[in-house]
Amino acid sequence: MIKKGWDEFEIGAMLRTFDGSINDIAGTSQDDRSYSENSSYTASVADWRLIKPVFNKDYCIDCQFCWIYCPDVSIISRDKKMIGVDMDHCKGCGICVEVCPTNPKSLLMFPEQAEEEAEIASWPAKDEEK
Ligand code: SF4
Ligand code: SF4
C-alpha cells in the first residue's frame, strides 16, 4: 500500500490510531502498541511545530491529564509518572499546557528554539489569584 501524505486524505476521513484493538491501552507502553500507518505517531507531525512544551517536574503532581489529552500520544508516562515529552511526535498544539492544573503550570509553551534549561530556571512564580 502506498502511504498517503497528510494533505491527501479526504476532509472528514477517519484515521485510526491503531491497527486492530488493544485491550489495555493504559497499561501498554508506546513501544508496544500497534500504531496504524496513518497515525501521527507513525507519520510524525513534529515538523509542524513552531512552539514546544517544556516540562518542569518540580511542580508536576502526576495527575496524567496531559497524557490523557495529548492528541499525538507524545506525553511519556511510566508507572503513572509523567517523565517528559516525546519531541519526535509532539506537534506543538499546546493542549497539554491547557489541561495542566498546577499553579504554576508544570508545562508551558516556548518558541521551538528556546533553551529548555534556561526556561526552567526562569519559570513563573505561583499566581496568587488562583
Ligand atoms: S503540545 Fe502537548 S498536547 Fe500537543 S502534541 Fe505536544 S505534547 Fe501533545
Ligand atoms: S497535566 Fe501537569 S501536573 Fe498533570 S501530569 Fe501533566 S505535567 Fe504533571
Side-chain angles (χ1 to χ4, degrees):
M1 188 178 93
I2 297 169
K3 200 165 172 176
K4 284 188 176 187
W6 286 101
D7 52 355
E8 293 174 273
F9 288 102
E10 198 173 320
I11 293 171
M14 179 182 283
L15 305 180
R16 297 194 182 276
T17 308
F18 304 109
D19 285 331
S21 59
I22 296 183
N23 292 331
D24 180 17
I25 186 71
T28 309
S29 77
Q30 273 135 320
D31 300 341
D32 298 327
R33 296 175 190 167
S34 178
Y35 289 96
S36 72
E37 277 280 296
N38 298 314
S39 76
S40 55
Y41 189 83
T42 308
S44 171
V45 290
D47 59 349
W48 294 357
R49 201 174 56 231
L50 297 175
I51 52 175
K52 65 181 178 186
V54 172
F55 174 51
N56 187 335
K57 64 177 170 26
D58 288 349
Y59 301 102
C60 180
I61 57 173
D62 293 312
C63 68
Q64 307 291 293
F65 283 7
C66 55
W67 182 83
I68 292 167
Y69 282 98
C70 172
D72 285 293
V73 282
S74 299
I75 300 294
I76 306 168
S77 178
R78 295 285 183 271
D79 299 323
K80 298 187 181 163
K81 297 268 182 219
M82 158 65 167
I83 56 175
V85 179
D86 171 1
M87 299 310 278
D88 286 339
H89 297 96
C90 164
K91 65 174 176 253
C93 67
I95 290 173
C96 54
V97 171
E98 286 295 317
V99 299
C100 181
T102 59
N103 180 9
K105 284 183 182 281
S106 312
L107 286 159
L108 287 172
M109 300 303 286
F110 292 97
E112 180 65 18
Q113 305 79 1
E115 292 287 341
E116 195 168 316
E117 278 182 25
E119 301 303 351
I120 288 176
S122 58
W123 208 256
K126 182 176 180 179
D127 182 350
E128 296 296 344
E129 288 183 4
K130 286 186 179 168

